[in-house]
């Protein structure tokens, strides 16, 4: 069955053939469960090769779980997480961090999904005040929910500020691969090299069947991770099938090739609708997402034929997302339909 290409989410995409092959190759004989298998050891080595020899990596089912387990390593019940108001942990994880960890999220408004030191600084006046949850973690998303990327310098500035005030820097890296591909740098250059303490690493949006990882960049934070992963319901019994997916992505830069293609398709789509009357980009295209504002009538008509989400209803901003398997034909056909609909409306 071949359905029309979705532009609603990279979660709608299929699985990369190399990842399927890795799962099939892992499906041989018996092996110890819960990570005591050679595929999980290979995955751990692959993460150390990519992020640095000191890191620990834990395979998990989903990004929400990886975020919650990671934040659980450093949060106390009276602590707070400073994050953009648009952050996934704040808007799309159903209060998981607050419900499971008992900590408070402090959402900070941003123009483009990116926190700055200036935006965070105002929140630290309550440090030491017993009447307030205590800021403990700064959490950023790479890429942001607005499709924008933090540069290494921007991350380093936030990390230096966090550490100077006794805070940790957490990264939701669901689309970290897209950011590294867009910026032309390594995964390590956007994380450990610039002071990130721990992160969730996304595989599912970049060609995996269902695989995420918690990556701990500071060894002293690692001790509780095994127990919190189990308690957080993220320990897979047949872990080899999750681990094999992550290893496949980290082998021969498959993660970069997938992300680079998805990004290129987003740029192609943005170029394909540029200059149309009543169409303007809400955010710059810096990854695999395009956020145009469209006439309301155009949105209604296009959604009868194509799958995508409205991002800001009042401003008529939609979100179009491309994936590793989005083709140039997919993009060109969709852009042509957008052009025709706009011009005829």
């Amino acid at each position: 069955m071949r359905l029309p290409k979705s532009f609603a989410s990279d979660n709608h995409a299929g699985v990369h053939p190399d990842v399927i092959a890795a799962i099939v190759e892992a499906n041989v004989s018996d092996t110890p469960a819960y990570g005591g298998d050679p595929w999980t050891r290979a995955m751990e080595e692959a993460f150390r090769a990519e992020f640095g020899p000191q890191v620990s990596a834990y395979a998990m089912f989903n990004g929400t779980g990886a975020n919650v387990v990671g934040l659980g390593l450093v949060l106390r019940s009276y602590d707070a997480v400073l994050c953009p108001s648009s952050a996934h942990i704040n808007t799309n994880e159903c209060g998981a961090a607050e419900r499971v960890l008992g900590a408070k999220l402090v959402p900070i408004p941003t123009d483009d999904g990116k926190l700055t030191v200036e935006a965070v600084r105002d929140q630290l006046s309550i440090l030491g005040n017993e009447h307030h949850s205590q800021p403990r973690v700064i959490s950023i998303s790479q890429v942001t929910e607005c499709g924008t990327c933090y540069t290494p310098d921007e991350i380093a500035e936030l990390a230096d500020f966090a550490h100077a005030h006794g805070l940790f820097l957490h990264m939701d890296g669901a689309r970290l691969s897209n950011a590294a591909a867009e910026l032309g740098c390594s995964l390590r250059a956007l994380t450990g090299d610039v002071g990130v303490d721990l992160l969730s690493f996304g595989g599912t949006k970049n060609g995996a069947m269902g695989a995420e990882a918690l990556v701990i960049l500071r060894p002293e934070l690692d001790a509780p991770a095994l127990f919190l992963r189990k308690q957080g319901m993220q320990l897979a019994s047949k872990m080899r099938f999750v681990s094999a997916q992550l290893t496949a992505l980290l082998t021969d830069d498959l993660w970069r090739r997938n992300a680079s293609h998805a990004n290129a398709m987003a740029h192609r789509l943005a170029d394909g609708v540029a200059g149309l009357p009543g169409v303007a980009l809400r955010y710059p295209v810096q990854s695999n997402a395009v956020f145009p504002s469209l006439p309301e009538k155009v949105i209604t008509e296009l959604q009868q034929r194509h799958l995508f989400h409205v991002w800001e209803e009042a401003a008529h901003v939609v979100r179009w997302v491309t994936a590793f398997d989005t083709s140039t034909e997919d993009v060109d056909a969709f852009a042509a339909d957008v052009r025709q609909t706009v011009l005829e409306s």
Side-chain angles (χ1 to χ4, degrees):
M1 181 181 294
R2 171 71 175 174
L3 299 175
K5 184 60 182 170
S6 170
F7 288 90
S9 173
D10 35 16
N11 284 324
H12 291 195
V15 182
H16 193 279
D18 289 0
V19 175
I20 292 284
I23 295 171
V24 172
E25 288 171 7
N27 191 34
V28 293
S29 66
D30 290 351
T31 193
Y34 300 109
D37 60 84
W39 291 272
T40 296
R41 289 194 292 273
M43 178 272 295
E44 293 166 348
E45 287 299 322
F47 272 99
R48 282 191 281 270
E50 197 69 57
F51 287 89
Q54 84 288 357
V55 310
S56 300
Y58 296 89
M60 299 195 183
F61 294 116
N62 55 55
T64 298
N67 283 332
V68 170
V69 174
L71 291 170
L73 296 175
V74 294
L75 287 175
R76 301 159 299 197
S77 60
Y78 54 86
D79 283 333
V81 179
L82 309 179
C83 62
S85 57
S86 60
H88 203 269
I89 59 171
N90 183 53
T91 62
N92 283 277
E93 294 186 355
C94 201
E98 294 167 310
R99 173 68 176 85
V100 176
L101 302 175
K104 182 177 181 61
L105 298 182
V106 179
I108 300 172
T110 68
D111 292 329
D112 57 0
K114 294 164 66 173
L115 284 182
T116 63
V117 167
E118 289 70 28
V120 172
R121 192 188 310 275
D122 292 341
Q123 303 295 326
L124 300 191
S125 62
I126 60 174
L127 282 172
N129 187 327
E130 63 187 291
H131 300 288
H132 295 272
S133 296
Q134 294 296 284
R136 177 80 165 172
V137 177
I138 297 172
S139 180
I140 61 175
S141 300
Q142 180 76 308
V143 296
T144 74
E145 281 68 28
C146 301
T148 53
C149 295
Y150 289 90
T151 66
D153 287 345
E154 289 170 333
I155 298 171
E157 185 180 13
L158 280 167
D160 290 345
F161 179 81
H163 298 155
H165 292 84
L167 278 62
F168 297 95
L169 182 62
H170 164 263
M171 176 183 286
D172 181 335
R175 295 185 177 93
L176 172 61
S177 296
N178 297 90
E182 186 77 7
L183 296 170
C185 63
S186 66
L187 297 170
R188 182 172 176 173
L190 290 173
T191 55
D193 285 355
V194 288
V196 175
D197 297 306
L198 66 162
L199 68 130
S200 57
F201 176 79
T204 308
K205 291 178 173 63
N206 197 32
M209 178 178 291
E212 312 289 309
L214 169 63
V215 183
I216 302 169
L217 298 162
R218 289 176 59 173
E220 64 269 26
L221 301 178
D222 185 45
L226 285 174
F227 307 100
L228 287 175
R229 177 173 61 171
K230 177 65 174 182
Q231 192 179 65
M233 298 170 283
Q234 291 293 312
L235 178 62
S237 55
K238 295 185 178 182
M239 193 182 297
R240 56 173 151 163
F241 299 110
V242 184
S243 299
Q245 298 176 58
L246 294 164
T247 304
L249 288 177
L250 295 174
T251 299
D252 297 331
D253 276 352
L254 178 59
W255 67 267
R256 186 184 295 277
R257 286 184 276 124
N258 284 355
S260 294
H261 177 79
N263 293 358
M265 293 302 96
H267 285 284
R268 184 182 185 96
L269 179 53
D271 292 342
V273 300
L276 288 173
V279 177
L281 292 184
R282 174 68 175 86
Y283 308 107
V285 179
Q286 296 179 351
S287 57
N288 64 321
V290 184
F291 293 83
S293 60
L294 301 171
E296 185 176 11
K297 179 182 177 182
V298 171
I299 296 173
T300 301
E301 185 170 343
L302 285 172
Q303 285 191 314
Q304 294 176 12
R305 299 187 294 275
H306 304 281
L307 190 58
F308 60 88
H309 295 305
V310 176
W311 184 254
E312 296 177 20
E313 188 169 359
H316 309 311
V317 176
V318 302
R319 186 187 75 162
W320 298 331
V321 183
T322 53
F324 79 93
D325 60 353
T326 304
S327 69
T328 56
E329 291 79 12
D330 293 329
V331 169
D332 292 347
F334 180 51
D337 197 4
V338 173
R339 286 197 303 272
Q340 181 176 348
T341 306
V342 169
L343 295 175
E344 291 179 352
S345 65

